[in-house]
Amino acid sequence: MADLNHTHHAFIQALMSRGPLSEDDAKSMFRVLSGDGNSDAGFPQFVADINKELDFVQMELRASRNQYNGVAYYGVVNRLANEQAKMGTRYSHAQIAFFKAMLEAIVSDPTGKGQISSMHALNLRLDSQNEQHLSAAPSQTLSNTLHLTIAQKEKTLSELVNDKWMSRTEDGMVALGVRAFLELWSIFKNFDVPFCDVCNEAGIKAQPCRNEECTVRIHDYCLQRRFHRRQVARVCPKCGTEWGQVENPASNMEEVPSLEDIPEVSPVLRRPRSRLGVPRRFC
């Protein structure tokens, strides 16, 4: 097993201090640190070496794609979900319940837009049941603490956006942030969210089939991969319904690579639906 050197340490420290970095920025930093300004050839092994060591402390250098623009990001995430890790947060019980309420509303969107209005977000009810299993406090006591005013919700939302757990679209809608895609990918499996037929990840921001009885969704960037060849029929892979217009989430991408081409990405497996339980590891 290769020991980590100052190059690996600097890379990890940069990700932990700056937060998630786009794939381009991560590879650019790798080239600078490695002294090879022209090649990314050693990047997959570089990531693999880091993850071998991080595994001992239940952490991981993970890659995930922002479903709103198709850009892949790298970040260091905590895989530990015990009580000690859950309490490592600066957010209160009420703020976490508010985050969970927004998360549930966004991932449950049947249209596949993956967003809600600011008004919708601020009027969401905080569910004490979402927090009871994370706390030893009596349910009545916990229920009394789960209250935020509109002003407090606005402040919390701004903090979540700043910490990259949530984001705002250009038209002011509330959406998930890059950090949510990186750290909460396992939570997305717990909902009846159709998985993308191309990459098999949850289709939170994805185009649904025009056939209302069909559950197929495909991410915009996956549509680019699937339909970029003229000989491939632009129809639903399940029901055969003609697919709509293929939108390009990033105008400068002719074809978006699969996450399988990115090293050390955690696999996403389908699981039965269960109640939302977001690990309290965000800080």
Side-chain angles (χ1 to χ4, degrees):
M1 182 180 299
D3 293 331
L4 301 187
N5 57 33
H6 70 280
T7 301
H8 299 91
H9 296 159
F11 190 86
I12 295 171
Q13 289 169 0
L15 284 176
M16 295 186 72
S17 62
R18 301 178 189 176
L21 295 178
S22 69
E23 183 181 15
D24 287 345
D25 289 341
K27 288 184 175 180
S28 176
M29 182 166 58
F30 163 75
R31 290 192 296 269
V32 172
L33 292 172
S34 64
D36 189 348
N38 299 315
S39 175
D40 298 327
F43 188 65
Q45 186 60 48
F46 182 79
V47 173
D49 290 342
I50 289 176
N51 276 332
K52 286 178 182 177
E53 297 298 327
L54 289 182
D55 184 62
F56 287 102
V57 291
Q58 295 295 304
M59 300 188 76
E60 178 184 2
L61 174 53
R62 181 180 297 166
S64 185
R65 200 175 294 284
N66 183 339
Q67 295 191 15
Y68 300 98
N69 60 15
V71 176
Y73 284 82
Y74 280 87
V76 176
V77 302
N78 181 6
R79 293 193 287 108
L80 200 60
N82 61 21
E83 290 303 315
Q84 289 79 10
K86 291 172 183 176
M87 294 308 297
T89 173
R90 65 183 179 83
Y91 290 106
S92 68
H93 286 290
Q95 289 177 312
I96 293 171
F98 178 47
F99 171 71
K100 290 180 181 181
M102 289 190 290
L103 175 64
E104 185 167 7
I106 289 171
V107 302
S108 301
D109 177 15
T111 67
K113 294 180 179 179
Q115 60 186 22
I116 57 176
S117 68
S118 295
M119 184 65 68
H120 184 181
L122 296 177
N123 284 286
L124 286 170
R125 176 179 176 271
L126 305 190
D127 187 355
S128 61
Q129 293 181 359
N130 284 343
E131 283 296 301
Q132 286 176 16
H133 70 285
L134 293 177
S135 173
S139 60
Q140 183 62 42
T141 301
L142 183 60
S143 178
N144 292 337
T145 66
L146 294 187
H147 174 72
L148 293 175
T149 65
I150 294 296
Q152 289 172 327
K153 287 181 178 179
E154 290 178 335
K155 183 176 183 294
T156 298
L157 179 55
S158 296
E159 292 176 355
L160 290 168
V161 170
N162 185 62
D163 289 341
K164 300 183 180 180
W165 289 107
M166 305 296 292
S167 64
R168 289 187 183 272
T169 64
E170 293 182 356
D171 56 355
M173 301 292 282
V174 177
L176 297 185
V178 172
R179 202 169 175 185
F181 286 115
L182 276 167
E183 296 214 32
L184 304 181
W185 59 272
S186 61
I187 299 300
F188 302 149
K189 301 175 296 186
N190 297 335
F191 291 89
D192 288 332
V193 180
F195 280 64
C196 175
D197 195 76
V198 175
C199 69
N200 199 36
E201 290 192 52
I204 296 170
K205 172 63 174 71
Q207 290 189 33
C209 175
R210 288 181 170 182
N211 181 357
E212 294 183 357
E213 297 182 356
C214 181
T215 59
V216 167
R217 287 187 190 180
I218 303 178
H219 299 121
D220 292 339
Y221 46 86
C222 289
L223 285 169
Q224 294 294 316
R225 292 173 48 213
R226 183 177 182 85
F227 296 142
H228 79 283
R229 294 188 180 90
R230 291 185 178 181
Q231 60 268 33
V232 176
R234 297 198 174 196
V235 297
C236 174
K238 181 179 180 179
C239 69
T241 301
E242 182 179 358
W243 205 269
Q245 181 180 359
V246 178
E247 299 178 3
N248 193 343
S251 59
N252 61 343
M253 291 188 297
E254 294 183 0
E255 180 180 359
V256 179
S258 168
L259 274 181
E260 295 176 356
D261 301 326
I262 301 176
E264 296 298 312
V265 178
S266 300
V268 179
L269 305 175
R270 298 172 186 253
R271 289 183 182 177
R273 188 177 190 272
S274 64
R275 186 169 183 81
L276 175 63
V278 179
R280 290 189 55 195
R281 55 177 171 241
F282 47 96
C283 58

